[in-house]
Amino acid sequence: MIALSGTQLAYRWLTTTPARLVPDEREAARAFRRECLSWMRAAQIEAFALGDKEETSLSNMREPVLRFYVRRKLASRRVKTLIPAVISLPGSHRRVMTDVSVAKVARASCGPASRIYGRYVGPNDAGTASCVLYAIDNPSTRYILSAWHVLCGPGGRAADPISCDNSICGMLSGKYQSLTPEPAKNPFRIQSFDGALALANPGSTETGSPHSNLHLSGIRLTPVAKGETLTCFGSFSGAARAAVVLEPAVTEPIGYRYGYITFANLIKTTLLSQKGDSGAPVVDATNKLVGYVVADDSDSAAAATWIQPIQQVLSEYAVSLAVEAQATTNGEGTQPKDQIDILARTLWGEARGEPEKGIIAIAWVVLNRLRMRPLQFGTSIAGVCQKPKQFSCWNKDDRNLPKLLGVNTANSAFRRCLEVARAAVANSLPEDPTFGSCHYHTVGTIAKWSVGHTPAVRIGDHVFFNDVA
């Protein structure tokens, strides 16, 4: 198996059942899942994904994170269970950084109508793009998922062009199944699933959902139940269509124009689709992606649709759903990712030699200024940190400013500061050790503003004040 980073391993352990893991990692994976599920169930998480920290206005460093998506962010006092800023992996000293974002629209198509087809299929038999995925071992690699018989068929080969409507949106990747159609139904010869991935063109701007009400909040991790209602978003049917699950897992010979192929563990529903909806994403009542359409039988009196569960595809190809965060700002036009970066650099500039409690204390000073005196100090974390003549590490004439702007995650002290900054932005810092202080200075310094005031506490080489106007 390819060596995985701690973040990649964490995602693998959360999404892969222990039975499918190599024996050496099963016990650690079970322990990790138990530990995470204890707070994941209570934290109202809609989905989670693996990815890199996006570029900030100050830095282009790439930082791997395990990102958790919630329906909306709440004040920390209203959250019963907080998502930890850092997760430790059992059996090792590795720690995984997390991030919390508001779930937006998962990329669910490759064009304005999401009609997609491969070289050997053609526009007359176009299907529907299911969703956009990214490779776990290379988050910058994007794939478009659809049914095998839509993107590939018996004649398809890797590197074949894939079209969205009349423009090429990518090429067939090597991640597709080699299926053999048979002349007659054969329920005893079970082949793999009906699915293929197209490598999306780099920097493509076409990818987007054609359905304004299609908000994929994540992947369905539990099996569907008989009688449950599912909804399909097909490009040809043009609107959401609902149906009821008839059988959660059936083995069925599917008829194509070139023969029959038998698949196992398909979800069978009442009629949910029509011609051209093959590959269309299917979601449950909470808008989690259950799978995609692979066939229907609209000519039968008991018309039905068959759905390929998404979990098998994700596990087989080591990919994840490309859910994206909302581009909300946190005051003064600065993105949340910049707030974290600016705070981390402030902590590094002011307290890199301090113990962790000392770094946390400086972070609390920033938060206290933001919450208690926004008109005086700033209305965002970035604004508080970079307010002139407050934190000297940001002064233009400070000789350490170039070091502050250039430090990255190769520096162990900066990694510590980054962990604290993430926790601060996520409202998951430990209790304030400064007792509400908005001011501090180093021990031995004589500051005019502190004359006549009594320090609330000393932490490391800093004394903190909570009685300065």
Side-chain angles (χ1 to χ4, degrees):
M1 184 180 69
I2 298 174
L4 301 178
S5 69
T7 310
Q8 293 166 349
L9 194 59
Y11 183 84
R12 172 180 165 85
W13 286 356
L14 285 175
T15 57
T16 307
T17 58
R20 294 180 62 89
L21 299 173
V22 297
D24 291 345
E25 58 180 324
R26 285 176 186 167
E27 289 307 313
R30 287 191 176 98
F32 183 68
R33 286 165 69 97
R34 284 195 298 269
E35 179 182 343
C36 291
L37 288 176
S38 65
W39 51 264
M40 285 178 67
R41 290 194 180 101
Q44 304 302 314
I45 294 171
E46 293 290 323
F48 58 91
L50 177 68
D52 278 342
K53 179 177 182 288
E54 297 179 14
E55 293 184 4
T56 71
S57 60
L58 296 176
S59 151
N60 61 357
M61 67 181 182
R62 295 182 64 187
E63 177 200 356
V65 295
L66 188 61
R67 185 170 293 108
F68 292 92
Y69 293 92
V70 295
R71 184 165 297 179
R72 58 187 176 130
K73 285 189 176 181
L74 301 172
S76 58
R77 66 181 181 275
R78 297 179 59 192
V79 180
K80 294 182 180 179
T81 303
L82 295 173
I83 299 171
V86 180
I87 308 174
S88 298
L89 295 184
S92 74
H93 298 291
R94 287 191 282 187
R95 305 172 78 191
V96 176
M97 304 285 288
T98 69
D99 192 14
V100 180
S101 301
V102 178
K104 195 190 176 186
V105 177
R107 297 188 178 191
S109 77
C110 61
S114 93
R115 299 183 180 186
I116 190 169
Y117 53 92
R119 177 180 180 182
Y120 289 93
V121 179
N124 292 332
D125 291 311
T128 303
S130 307
C131 59
V132 172
L133 307 169
Y134 63 84
I136 291 176
D137 60 353
N138 184 8
S140 63
T141 301
R142 289 295 197 267
Y143 297 102
I144 302 169
L145 169 66
S146 191
W148 166 82
H149 70 274
V150 170
L151 297 185
C152 184
R157 297 291 183 270
D160 283 348
I162 301 298
S163 299
C164 300
D165 290 329
N166 294 316
S167 62
I168 294 176
C169 61
M171 64 181 182
L172 186 64
S173 73
K175 298 180 184 294
Y176 66 89
Q177 299 299 316
S178 296
L179 305 175
T180 305
E182 299 189 75
K185 291 183 179 181
N186 183 359
F188 303 103
R189 187 191 175 192
I190 299 174
Q191 300 188 47
S192 190
F193 57 86
D194 185 342
L197 300 184
L199 189 62
N201 286 339
S204 173
T205 58
E206 290 185 339
T207 305
S209 173
H211 301 280
S212 59
N213 59 339
L214 175 53
H215 295 262
L216 298 179
S217 61
I219 298 295
R220 173 69 173 256
L221 299 178
T222 56
V224 298
K226 188 173 182 178
E228 184 175 350
T229 298
L230 302 178
T231 304
C232 168
F233 293 84
S235 63
F236 279 68
S237 55
R241 303 179 69 178
V244 175
V245 175
L246 299 175
E247 296 292 340
V250 297
T251 297
E252 193 75 32
I254 302 298
Y256 302 101
R257 66 177 184 276
Y258 34 71
Y260 292 89
I261 302 176
T262 300
F263 302 105
N265 298 317
L266 298 177
I267 300 169
K268 183 178 181 180
T269 70
T270 53
L271 189 62
L272 187 66
S273 56
Q274 63 185 57
K275 177 178 171 55
D277 285 342
S278 290
V282 177
V283 303
D284 64 10
T286 63
N287 281 345
K288 286 185 171 60
L289 183 63
V290 172
Y292 53 91
V293 172
V294 293
D296 63 42
D297 185 11
S298 56
D299 297 331
S300 170
T305 292
W306 287 270
I307 299 161
Q308 167 63 50
I310 190 65
Q311 279 283 26
Q312 186 177 359
V313 179
L314 303 184
S315 178
E316 179 74 19
Y317 293 140
V319 289
S320 173
L321 180 65
V323 182
E324 297 182 336
Q326 287 183 353
T328 55
T329 59
N330 235 0
E332 301 184 11
T334 308
Q335 298 292 327
K337 60 180 181 294
D338 291 324
Q339 305 281 351
I340 294 169
D341 190 80
I342 290 171
L343 178 56
R345 292 177 191 279
T346 305
L347 300 178
W348 186 85
E350 296 287 315
R352 59 184 175 275
E354 295 293 296
E356 184 166 325
K357 186 176 181 181
I359 298 174
I360 292 172
I362 303 299
W364 268 108
V365 169
V366 173
L367 295 181
N368 289 337
R369 290 185 175 191
L370 174 64
R371 296 169 181 176
M372 299 177 186
R373 303 180 189 177
L375 297 179
Q376 180 181 355
F377 292 112
T379 58
S380 73
I381 286 176
V384 170
C385 290
Q386 295 181 319
K387 186 176 178 64
K389 299 181 180 181
Q390 294 300 317
F391 293 95
S392 60
C393 61
W394 287 103
N395 291 345
K396 292 182 179 180
D397 58 353
D398 192 298
R399 60 187 178 85
N400 287 314
L401 182 58
K403 296 180 181 179
L404 177 84
L405 298 177
V407 69
N408 57 40
T409 52
N411 183 289
S412 60
F414 184 67
R415 291 198 298 271
R416 292 169 59 211
C417 294
L418 197 55
E419 291 176 6
V420 174
R422 283 193 172 280
V425 173
N427 294 318
S428 59
L429 278 178
E431 187 175 353
D432 183 3
T434 74
F435 302 102
S437 294
C438 288
H439 296 80
Y440 68 95
H441 63 64
T442 55
V443 174
T445 298
I446 300 176
K448 291 182 180 180
W449 56 261
S450 66
V451 175
H453 297 280
T454 302
V457 65
R458 172 177 173 173
I459 302 174
D461 288 334
H462 291 109
V463 287
F464 296 82
F465 298 82
N466 60 8
D467 62 346
V468 179

